[in-house]
Structures are given as structure tokens and as C-alpha cells.
């Protein structure tokens, strides 16, 4: 346990690559780890929930992401003295990542009637008393640094990337919504939309290890669900199809990649590890580990390899899609398609 009460878990035993194993957690460095999902291999994994927890580190283990953020801030202050006061106020004057993030977000979201000092108190109260948020802000930071080549340091995500700011602000609003403080949550949603051009309803459910790349124009509706390790590019819409009430927004599976400007409408499922190409309009279920392209989107192939949200490979050329689609068609004709049952269940065939 760190000085601010953050909980971390011990590093899982080495099995050849020195990295933790487990679905949605880490790979061994081989890129696929005997079929298990790879996760960014930067630091020991933070508390992952009761089913994944291996035990707590002692005090000496500390908080490696926070340690890196402080080290980076000191280095940047030396290189750019004009920013030294900003870096001290935003990072070096705080004793943990949660308080630093509260300060940064409050100063981004303040307005004449909702002061930064008031927001800091609210944000600190939420984050310091919610283990899930404290885990998520670190896993999200890993996602930004691991998947966005323009994010070279953890401190850059904390200080400068509005996708990260919008995501963590949503997480606070989501906790307030669930606490019954819906008016305050909606006020935060409105302010987040104004400042970051990202509109996420506080009732939406979003997993951890999320990347909002750029973030501009992102819209996520009230009953949408986004699984762990998902990457969303700018302009993505997870919307409804009318004015009906109830469950009316998309459900995005773990490890999916949603390309820039992708629009997914209605209470439909985008399967685990699926890739939605940029500019696509999705109106029907998309099976796991598939690639959907077009307006309206159609499945052009399948892959059982690494999740696209982690590889961020969403620029495949036409010949690649033709090759994958041709291979899939050949497997179907030979009776080797392992996804036929899922396809039938999803009424895709």
C-alpha cells in the first residue's frame, strides 16, 4: 500500500518472459503467449478484481506509474524552466497520482460557477475512496502510453492528453451517478463535453485499460457498455436509433478497436476482439474477432490473432482484406469454420 493508500498486487511469477499471464492481463513477450491475451508489459499489474488478485505488495513496492510521472516531471522542469511552476503545481506538490489527477482535471473543468477548489474536493473524495477508479486510471495510463506512439511518457497522458482527461472525468461522473448524485454527474458531463468535445453519458459502463485516441467528437450513450482493453478513435459514436427508452445502445466486447468516425447504432453487440473500420456504419451484430467495413458495415474476414485494440493495426490495405476474406470462404467450404455457430446465433448467415 502506498502513502496515499493505493493498492497494487505482486508481480506474477516469471514463466520465460518475466511478465504476468492471464486473460486480459499480460503476455509473455512472445506476442500471443499460447493463445492468451497480451497486455501492455510495463509494470506489475494493479489490483484486477477478486478473481485476478494475487496478493498485495509491501510498502517497498510503491506505485511505479506515479514514480515515473514524478521523475518525468522533474526532468521536464529542468529541460523547460518556464514550465517548472506548472509541473510543480500539477505533479510534484502532490503525494499520489489521484491527487495530481484531481488537480489537473479540476483546473481544466472549472468555470465561473463551479470553482476548481470545489471540484478538487469532489474529485479527491471520489478517487480516494474508490479502488476501481484508482486501478482504472493506472491501467488507462498504460493503455495510452502503450498504444499511442505520440504518448512517450505517463506524465504526458496526465498533463496534456484530453482523451485521458475526458475518460477520467467520465469515471468520476459515473461514480457520482451511481451514488445518486445525478444532477452533479450531468453537470460534469456537460462541462466535459464543452471542454474536451467528448460526450459520455455518466450512466454508460466503460471498462479499464481504455484508449480514447484524440477523443474529439466521441459520443457514448446512456446504456452503452464498453469492455476492457478497447481502443476508440476520434469521432466514434455509440448511439441509439430513435427515442425509445430502455436498453438502446451498443455493447462493445473486450479488446475491440473502433476506427475514426465509426458509427454504431442500436442495442447491438460488437464481439470481443472485433475491428470496425474508420467511417463504417454498423447496424447489426458483429461477431468476435471479425473485421467490419463499409456503410452499412459488412464482415469482410476474421482473425484469431492479437486483439486489434492492442496492436492498433487498423490500416489494412484492400488486398489484405481480400486475402483474409478468401481464406475464410475456403475454410467455410471445407467445413472448417469455427465461428459458424456464433454466426448463426447472431443471425449473420
Amino acid at each position: 500500500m502506498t502513502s496515499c493508500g493505493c493498492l497494487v498486487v505482486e508481480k506474477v511469477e516469471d514463466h520465460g518472459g518475466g511478465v504476468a499471464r492471464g486473460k486480459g492481463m499480460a503476455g509473455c513477450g512472445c506476442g500471443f503467449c499460447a493463445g492468451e491475451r497480451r497486455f501492455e508489459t510495463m509494470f506489475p499489474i494493479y489490483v484486477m478484481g477478486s478473481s485476478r488478485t494475487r496478493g498485495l505488495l509491501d510498502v517497498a513496492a510503491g506505485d511505479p506509474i506515479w514514480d515515473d510521472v514524478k521523475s518525468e516531471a522533474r526532468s521536464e522542469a529542468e529541460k523547460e524552466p518556464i514550465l517548472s511552476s506548472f509541473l510543480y503545481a500539477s505533479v510534484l506538490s502532490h503525494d499520489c497520482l489521484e491527487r495530481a489527477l484531481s488537480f489537473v482535471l479540476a483546473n481544466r473543468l472549472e468555470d465561473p460557477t463551479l470553482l476548481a477548489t470545489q471540484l478538487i474536493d469532489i474529485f479527491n473524495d471520489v478517487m480516494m475512496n474508490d479502488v476501481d477508479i484508482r486501478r482504472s486510471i493506472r491501467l488507462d495510463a498504460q493503455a495510452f502510453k502503450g498504444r499511442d506512439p505520440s504518448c512517450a511518457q505517463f506524465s504526458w497522458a496526465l498533463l496534456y492528453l484530453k482523451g485521458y482527461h475526458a475518460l477520467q472525468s467520465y469515471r468520476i461522473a459515473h461514480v457520482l451517478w451511481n451514488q445518486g448524485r445525478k444532477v452533479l454527474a450531468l453537470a460534469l458531463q456537460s462541462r466535459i463535453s464543452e471542454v474536451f468535445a467528448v460526450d459520455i453519458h455518466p450512466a454508460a459502463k466503460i471498462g479499464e485499460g481504455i484508449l480514447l485516441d484524440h477523443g474529439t467528437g466521441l459520443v457514448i450513450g446512456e446504456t452503452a457498455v464498453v469492455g476492457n482493453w478497447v481502443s476508440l478513435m476520434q469521432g466514434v459514436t455509440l448511439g441509439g436509433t430513435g427515442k425509445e427508452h430502455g436498453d438502446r445502445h451498443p455493447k462493445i466486447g473486450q479488446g475491440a478497436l473502433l476506427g475514426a468516425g465509426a458509427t454504431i447504432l442500436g442495442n447491438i453487440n460488437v464481439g470481443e476482439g472485433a475491428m470496425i473500420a474508420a467511417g463504417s456504419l454498423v447496424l447489426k451484430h458483429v461477431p468476435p474477432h471479425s473485421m467490419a467495413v463499409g456503410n452499412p458495415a459488412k464482415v469482410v474476414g476474421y482473425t484469431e490473432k492479437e486483439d486489434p485494440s492492442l496492436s492498433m493495426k487498423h490500416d489494412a490495405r484492400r488486398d489484405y482484406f481480400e486475402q483474409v476474406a478468401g481464406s475464410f470462404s475456403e475454410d467455410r467450404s471445407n467445413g472448417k469454420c469455427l465461428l459458424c455457430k456464433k454466426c448463426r446465433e447472431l443471425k449473420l448467415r
Side-chain angles (χ1 to χ4, degrees), residues 50-65:
S50 58
S51 64
R52 302 177 183 176
T53 303
R54 291 289 303 274
L56 299 181
L57 281 172
D58 56 27
V59 176
D63 183 345
I65 288 182

Side-chain angles (χ1 to χ4, degrees), residues 2 11 15 28 50 69 71 128 148 222 229 260 268 282 296-297 308:
T2 66
K11 188 180 293 183
H15 70 283
C28 67
S50 58
V69 168
S71 176
M128 299 304 291
D148 184 354
E222 179 182 10
W229 329 123
I268 59 176
V282 182

Side-chain angles (χ1 to χ4, degrees), residues 222-223 239-249 265-267:
E222 179 182 10
T223 61
T241 56
K243 62 179 182 179
E244 71 275 10
H245 295 278
D247 195 353
R248 60 194 184 278
H249 294 102
L265 301 179
N267 185 14

Side-chain angles (χ1 to χ4, degrees), residues 80-96:
E80 199 64 74
I82 195 171
L83 293 178
S84 58
S85 295
F86 164 73
L87 292 167
Y88 178 81
S90 301
V91 176
L92 299 175
S93 64
H94 304 286
D95 61 359
C96 64

